[in-house]
Amino acid sequence: MIQLRSVSKKFKLFNQQNAIISVIENANLNISPGECVALVGASGSGKSTLMRMIYGNYLATSGSILVDGIDLTKAEPREILEVRKRKLGYVSQFLRVVPRVPTLKVVAEPLLSIGKPETESLEIAEELLEELNIPKKLWQLSPTTFSGGEQQRVNIARGFAYEFPALLLDEPTASLDKENRDIVISLINRAKNKGTAIVGIFHDQQARELICDRQIDVKKFTPDINGSDA
Amino acid sequence: MTPLLKVENLKKNYGTQIGCSGISFNLHPGEVMGIVGESGSGKSTLLNCLAGHLQPDEGSVFYNTKTDGLVDTILMNEPDRRMLGRTDWAFVHQNPRDGLRMSISAGGNVGERLMAVGERHYGHIRENALSWIDQVEISTDRIDDRPSTFSGGMQQRLQIARNLVTGPRLVFMDEPTGGLDVSVQARLLDLLRSLVIKMNLSAIIVTHDLAVVRLLADRLMVMKSGHVIESGLTDQVLDDPQHAYTQLLVSSVLQV
Amino acid sequence: MDYNFAYLDEQTKRMIRRAILKGLAIPGYQVPFSSREMPMPYGWGTGGVQVSASILTPEDRLKVIDQGADDTTNAVSIRKFFEKTAKIPTTENTEEATVIQTRHRIPEQPLMDSQILVYQVPIPEPLRFLEPRESETRKMHALQEYGLMHVKLYEDISINGAIATSYAYPVKVEDRYVMDPSPIPKFDNPKMEMEAVQLFGAGREQRIYALPPFTKVRSLDFEDYPFEPSKADYKCNLCGSDSSYLDEVIIDDKGGRMFVCSDTDYCQKMIAKHGEVSKPDNQRALP
């Protein structure tokens, strides 16, 4: 489902003495449907960079990244957006929404954007919010004022509203209590069983063990010393 | 898929001064493109060339018309181009005073485009104007008030209503949130965003405000000295800029 | 001192006749012409006078009306002007006249194909109040972009509940040009589809336009707010006519008023025929 072939990433910082920082080199990865892979490695080792490249948020310097057969490194913006709409979901650590939009709408939006009828979409959103213990009285409010844990759960609900065939998870359980964490883990496992290919960053080791089929240490994609190879 | 707008090698000089040069891109139905760059980078020149307000020196702007498919709007005769400008296209000016008739009521402003395309039933025009004034979140009892009595944000929303009433497919926007204070900006952006989605509009938005494009635009073109120096998916260009100027632009934004 | 026939020199008249012919060929289109200084101020009918001067022949008989009346200053002085410079006979009788110069009215008596009606026009551009740029209005005419005219009518309805424009009511000529009929009351608009040639002269604005006989002239309106020619809902206090256009005349400082025909010739003919109304029945004091 997700394939990385000889992917590398260098940042060139024009405004800082043209420094070139090489973060990833020759990364190869293959994630099948129903498989969950955890990226591990020290902070700054390039986990997030790799995730962002798979999402098309960062450009790969070389190599190719295929999601369901579409090479994101060569795709047009609208093709990438189409992949993000229908194939590849992303649950980030932080919620980024337009102010004024109520929580229920935020969660239903991925469904609405692919043309699912409004009532049906809102129904699914309600189920998810309920499952994730977001109090009903908050549903009509914008999540911008919610607590960190609540925001994260809204974010997760949004990520799981549409059943993406591929999902990227960035610390989905980070600021959750045990009860909610277990709920999120079961959500992830449910998606996995339905065939979703998952790549994630989990600092929570227990969660990682409960969900992931294998771990990839990003260190093996990292160039030796601080990228002074320019 | 046929693009809605196909721009090839567009160039416009002001004497020896470059306005914009070597611009080519395709815009597809439902796509929103942002053009960012500093003042004088040629983004407004480009927008005006695209919208037929300025005659470019070279290049073509093909538009996928409803009846005849792709037609070069630069070679198109003027009546047809102006007709396009009143029906299938819309242009939202930075200053609502440029896009509204200040001495005519809000309803008349919204109705003008309908009357321009031949609507001759007062009741229908009125109904349409009311519905649009409501959609842009202006109280419908203000329909007979002149825009000069409106706040800046209301004027801008009225200008949007006036433009969208004929159901255009392509909207040009020149700094749509430019003169507005921040709280009003958010509301306008949210409104624009929902209208773009609801009406499946294609849009080209010129702005120097990166927050505006992050929220509204699917893709981005960065301009400097009349040239496009970088383009791509909006969040990719903003989060992983490849060109020195873009990196400077992105890093210059003050964080709140 | 002797003037050239009808004051203007022959070259000027030829220039104006060319403009008139062009105007007749393109009904409703405003033809620019190089308007001359006339021995009267702008606003006193310099455009109409130049058109009249250019079409008059020694055989013509001229009538001049100002708001329908033959005996107001403007009408009298223009009549005198042509009596002096063209030495032609004048008349107050509508039927007898071959050329009628008018300010803001069309005579009640239907005109014939042997007559010419010359209008004095203050502002010939119907789009002017909505679009101040001449370059833009010319383009709008060329491209038939007339939506703006309806915006004006829309404003009228939304503010007054009905189309309140009562004079200079815009018309569309032969389904092509939108034209200002000069400030005639909209009551007169339907009469513009007539046997006689109609010529319009705007001296200050340097424009001439024209309507050949039987030209289609339609007043702009909305489907649900159709055009309605209107007049004061009274009878003439002098002749008793209930079909002619009326002027309201204040007759004392206690609010007394009366309504009389604005067309003095018509009114007099009616009186000659039926006698004067003995006791004005609709003379009412204002509250």
Side-chain angles (χ1 to χ4, degrees), chain A residues 175-224:
Chain A
S175 48
L176 300 182
D177 55 34
K178 187 176 176 314
E179 189 195 346
N180 282 316
R181 195 193 63 173
D182 291 345
I183 293 166
V184 172
I185 289 171
S186 77
L187 259 179
I188 297 170
N189 274 325
R190 208 169 2 160
K192 248 181 78 176
N193 291 336
K194 282 187 180 167
T196 301
I198 296 171
V199 180
I201 300 170
F202 308 89
H203 281 141
D204 173 354
Q205 196 185 343
Q206 211 185 342
R208 193 159 69 209
E209 278 160 10
L210 286 169
I211 306 165
C212 298
D213 304 305
R214 59 197 166 104
Q215 301 188 1
I216 306 269
D217 193 340
V218 181
K219 206 170 159 190
K220 70 176 184 181
F221 305 141
T222 314
D224 294 338

Side-chain angles (χ1 to χ4, degrees), chain B residues 88-92 164 168-173 201-205:
Chain B
D88 236 12
W89 289 3
F91 197 103
V92 177
L164 297 187
R169 292 192 293 162
L170 177 59
V171 186
F172 300 100
M173 296 188 221
L201 295 173
S202 300
I204 297 179
I205 302 170

Side-chain angles (χ1 to χ4, degrees), chain A residues 9 11-15 52 55-59 77-78 80-81 84 96 98-101 109, chain B residues 1 28 31 137 187 190-191 193 214-215 218-219 232-233 235-236 239-240 242-244 247-248:
Chain A
K9 178 67 188 169
F11 288 104
K12 185 170 185 191
L13 306 177
F14 291 93
N15 302 307
R52 281 166 171 256
Y55 198 57
N57 182 225
Y58 282 4
L59 279 181
R78 65 194 165 87
I80 298 176
L81 289 174
R84 287 183 183 177
R96 203 175 217 168
V98 187
R100 294 217 302 167
V101 180
E109 204 196 280
Chain B
M1 187 169 62
H28 288 267
E31 225 176 359
E137 302 170 14
R187 183 175 183 187
D190 180 30
L191 176 73
R193 197 168 158 274
R214 194 185 276 277
L215 206 58
D218 300 325
R219 50 192 277 228
L233 198 65
D235 59 286
Q236 181 262 303
D239 294 340
D240 185 18
Q242 303 296 307
H243 191 279
Q247 290 190 358
L248 182 67

Side-chain angles (χ1 to χ4, degrees), chain A residues 1-228:
Chain A
M1 192 68 208
I2 301 173
Q3 274 181 301
L4 275 68
R5 293 183 190 148
S6 338
V7 172
S8 69
K9 178 67 188 169
K10 289 183 180 126
F11 288 104
K12 185 170 185 191
L13 306 177
F14 291 93
N15 302 307
Q16 290 170 47
Q17 295 89 44
N18 289 337
I20 293 179
I21 298 171
S22 186
V23 181
I24 306 274
E25 239 173 41
N26 199 27
N28 287 288
L29 203 58
N30 207 337
I31 297 128
S32 316
E35 192 182 17
C36 180
V37 173
L39 301 178
V40 294
S43 180
S45 59
K47 302 188 293 291
S48 287
T49 300
L50 201 60
M51 290 267 276
R52 281 166 171 256
M53 280 199 289
I54 299 172
Y55 198 57
N57 182 225
Y58 282 4
L59 279 181
T61 309
S62 63
S64 53
I65 298 166
L66 284 84
V67 174
D68 199 20
I70 297 164
D71 187 348
L72 296 184
T73 58
K74 294 186 180 68
E76 295 275 326
R78 65 194 165 87
E79 292 168 326
I80 298 176
L81 289 174
E82 198 56 27
V83 167
R84 287 183 183 177
K85 232 184 200 175
R86 296 177 188 278
K87 302 206 166 133
L88 183 63
Y90 184 62
V91 179
S92 69
Q93 264 172 289
F94 307 103
L95 185 67
R96 203 175 217 168
V97 293
V98 187
R100 294 217 302 167
V101 180
T103 300
L104 201 57
K105 265 272 172 64
V106 169
V107 174
E109 204 196 280
L111 295 169
L112 294 170
S113 75
I114 57 158
K116 216 178 182 67
E118 182 149 352
T119 44
E120 213 174 311
S121 306
L122 291 176
E123 234 164 72
I124 294 171
E126 281 172 14
E127 277 168 28
L128 274 163
L129 285 171
E130 200 150 340
E131 188 170 357
L132 285 158
N133 291 320
I134 302 289
K136 203 165 184 169
K137 60 176 190 228
L138 297 180
W139 292 2
Q140 292 306 325
L141 305 176
S142 164
T144 40
T145 52
F146 291 5
S147 74
E150 280 164 348
Q151 287 199 3
Q152 180 153 31
R153 278 177 281 147
V154 170
N155 217 6
I156 287 163
R158 182 182 155 90
F160 282 89
Y162 172 68
E163 289 171 4
F164 288 104
L167 255 183
L168 304 173
L169 304 175
D170 190 352
E171 300 270 20
T173 56
S175 48
L176 300 182
D177 55 34
K178 187 176 176 314
E179 189 195 346
N180 282 316
R181 195 193 63 173
D182 291 345
I183 293 166
V184 172
I185 289 171
S186 77
L187 259 179
I188 297 170
N189 274 325
R190 208 169 2 160
K192 248 181 78 176
N193 291 336
K194 282 187 180 167
T196 301
I198 296 171
V199 180
I201 300 170
F202 308 89
H203 281 141
D204 173 354
Q205 196 185 343
Q206 211 185 342
R208 193 159 69 209
E209 278 160 10
L210 286 169
I211 306 165
C212 298
D213 304 305
R214 59 197 166 104
Q215 301 188 1
I216 306 269
D217 193 340
V218 181
K219 206 170 159 190
K220 70 176 184 181
F221 305 141
T222 314
D224 294 338
I225 315 158
N226 302 329
S228 56

